Each structure stands twice: as C-alpha cells, then as structure tokens.
C-alpha cells in the first residue's frame, strides 16, 4: 500500500520530468489535488500538452512509469487525447493524459495549470438525461428476459447496470455529480437503493430487487409516456412456474 509521502514524491518527480521534456509544452495537475480535496486514497492525475506526435512521448513516458514501479496500464481515449492509467506496485493509480497542444485545456474545474498555455475549451457536462433513461429501461428489458430464461448471473449483471443509470438520474435531479458514482453518497434518501441489492442469485430474490429498482426508475420518469411500459417490466418477474 502506498504512503502519502510516496505519492507526493512521485508526483513531484513526474512534474520535474515534464518540465525537463522539451516535447511537453504545458502541464497541469487535475483531479482532487487540483482543488484541494485530496485524501488518503487519491491518485495522481497529470495532464501533458504535447508538441508533436503523441506516440513517441507516450512510449517514453510508459517506459519511465514502468521503471518507477508500474505493473500494468490501461488506455482510455477521448478524441485525440490519450489517458494512460497506470497501476503501480504500491497499488497507487497514476493517470497521465497526453494532449495535443492545440487541444490542451481545462474541461472541468479540477485543473491546475503548472506551466505553458491552456486553450479555452467547452466544459464537460453531466450525462444526458434521456440517454440515461433509455439505458435504464434497456437494462431492465434484459433483466426480465434473463430471469425468464433462468440466466441468473446475466440478470444480476444487467440489474447492477440498471441501478447505475437510475442512480445517475437521481444525481441529475439533485444537482450532484452524475459521473462514475461520484455524487451518489451526497444524495438525500440514497438508502432507498439498498432494496435494489440482490442478496442471492435465486430468481425470486433477483425479481424482488428488480421490482424495487423499477419502482425507483418509474419515480424518475412518471410524467413520461414510457413510465407505464417500464412499470410493466417487473410484473410477474421472480416467480418461477
């Protein structure tokens, strides 16, 4: 397990490496540290503005990270930007974002420019409500069909995904962050979701949790034409012939 001092030292070393790399024309710290909300479990988030092709610098920085104790990494791409997420041997997560310099800038409030220039960019918003509603009922359809087929693990998988989307809808309603569950713990009445947790993979138990979750979804969309159809999804689910 990493210590706070180890994390802080690695962050300083990475910032120093960015300042020494001529291909890096700007850098920013992002995430909780950038807004003074870092805690014991926070990771390192570093954004680099790159002048020139990304592939060579990504390769060099990946070599650097493995020399510092990385054991694996995963890539997330957003347009021309590459977010390479490293898992360190100490269990610390280090996110390094490689931005073309023409696109480098803050897309949200958690951005502290260290050096260089940042472009003015559109700010990332909350998820689209209609899309969340659609994904919720789509997962609900698959819960119903999986239960009808006796495919309980698929049903559980879809139930969990449906819950994520309904929670995000609650986050939108109460004006908290609806991305990656970051605002869920700030929701009033979030204990209502406890009943949506299946306590076993028995069809009856999965059906019970599904009915509770469907009720919460209907509560979010009761003024829409799809509410009655969604309500019908859970009718009769959970009782095997």
């Amino acid at each position: 397990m990493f210590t706070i001092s180890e994390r802080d030292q690695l962050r300083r070393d990475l910032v120093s490496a960015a300042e020494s790399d001529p291909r890096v024309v700007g850098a920013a710290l992002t995430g909780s540290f950038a807004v003074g909300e870092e805690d014991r479990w926070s990771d390192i988030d570093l954004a680099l503005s790159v002048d020139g092709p990304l592939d060579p610098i990504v390769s060099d920085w990946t070599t650097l990270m493995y020399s510092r104790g990385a054991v694996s990494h995963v890539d997330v791409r957003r347009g021309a930007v590459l977010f390479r997420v490293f898992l360190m041997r100490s269990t610390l997560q280090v996110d390094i974002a490689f931005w073309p310099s023409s696109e480098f800038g803050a897309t949200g409030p958690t951005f502290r420019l260290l050096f260089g220039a940042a472009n003015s960019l559109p700010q990332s918003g909350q998820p689209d409500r209609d899309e969340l509603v659609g994904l919720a009922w789509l997962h609900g359809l698959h819960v119903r069909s999986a239960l009808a087929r006796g495919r309980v693990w698929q049903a559980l998988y879809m139930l969990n995904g449906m819950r994520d989307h309904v929670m995000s809808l609650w986050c939108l309603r109460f004006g908290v962050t609806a991305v990656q569950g970051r605002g869920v713990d700030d929701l009033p009445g979030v204990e209502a979701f406890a009943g949506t947790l299946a306590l076993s993979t028995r069809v009856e138990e999965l059906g019970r949790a599904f009915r509770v979750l469907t009720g919460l979804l209907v509560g979010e969309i009761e003024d829409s034409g799809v509410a009655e159809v969604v309500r019908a999804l859970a009718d009769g689910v959970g009782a095997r012939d």
Side-chain angles (χ1 to χ4, degrees):
M1 179 65 193
F2 65 89
T3 66
I4 293 175
S5 60
E6 288 172 340
R7 179 186 63 199
D8 292 348
Q9 184 60 58
L10 179 57
R11 179 166 45 224
R12 287 192 293 268
D13 291 346
L14 293 177
V15 170
S16 177
E19 292 171 335
S20 302
D21 192 328
R23 299 166 297 184
V24 178
V25 295
L29 290 170
T30 61
S32 57
F33 179 83
V35 289
E37 296 179 357
E38 186 176 53
D39 63 18
R40 171 70 181 86
W41 304 101
S42 298
D43 52 20
I44 295 174
D45 299 282
L46 178 64
L48 304 178
S49 175
V50 180
D51 181 19
L54 291 188
D55 288 348
I57 192 170
V58 170
S59 177
D60 291 345
W61 275 72
T62 299
T63 299
L64 171 65
M65 291 303 299
Y66 276 89
S67 74
R68 296 300 303 264
V71 296
S72 187
H73 68 267
V74 63
D75 289 343
V76 178
R77 293 187 180 274
R78 300 285 170 80
V81 182
L82 171 66
F83 297 84
R84 180 153 286 185
V85 183
F86 295 92
L87 173 64
M88 309 302 288
R89 192 174 304 279
S90 64
T91 71
L92 175 64
Q93 175 185 331
V94 180
D95 300 355
I96 302 180
F98 300 89
W99 292 69
S101 59
S102 60
E103 300 186 28
F104 178 71
T107 58
T110 58
F111 183 94
R112 183 187 297 181
L113 185 66
L114 299 175
F115 64 87
N119 298 291
S120 179
L121 301 177
Q123 299 299 285
S124 298
Q126 294 274 59
D128 180 75
R129 185 179 185 278
D130 289 341
E131 181 177 356
L132 288 173
V133 171
L135 289 170
W137 62 248
L138 180 60
H139 278 73
L141 284 173
H142 286 285
V143 174
R144 183 185 66 174
S145 60
L147 286 175
R149 294 167 179 148
R151 301 184 65 82
V152 294
W153 289 104
Q154 182 187 11
L156 179 61
Y157 181 92
M158 290 295 174
L159 180 71
N160 291 339
M162 181 181 177
R163 183 188 307 108
D164 292 344
H165 299 309
V166 179
M167 281 183 161
S168 292
L169 285 169
W170 272 47
C171 288
L172 289 183
R173 175 156 58 93
F174 286 102
V176 299
T177 302
V179 177
Q180 298 178 344
R182 294 172 184 166
V184 170
D185 287 283
D186 301 320
L187 290 173
V190 70
E191 296 80 8
F193 284 93
T196 71
L197 299 172
L199 304 180
S200 76
T201 54
R202 293 175 59 248
V203 170
E204 294 79 8
E205 171 60 12
L206 289 164
R208 179 205 61 76
F210 180 46
R211 286 191 292 275
V212 175
L213 183 54
T214 301
L216 294 177
L217 174 57
V218 169
E220 290 300 302
I221 60 173
E222 56 188 352
D223 294 331
S224 72
V226 74
E228 286 302 316
V229 178
V230 169
R231 184 179 286 112
L233 286 179
D235 289 349
V237 167
R240 299 291 300 276
D241 294 335

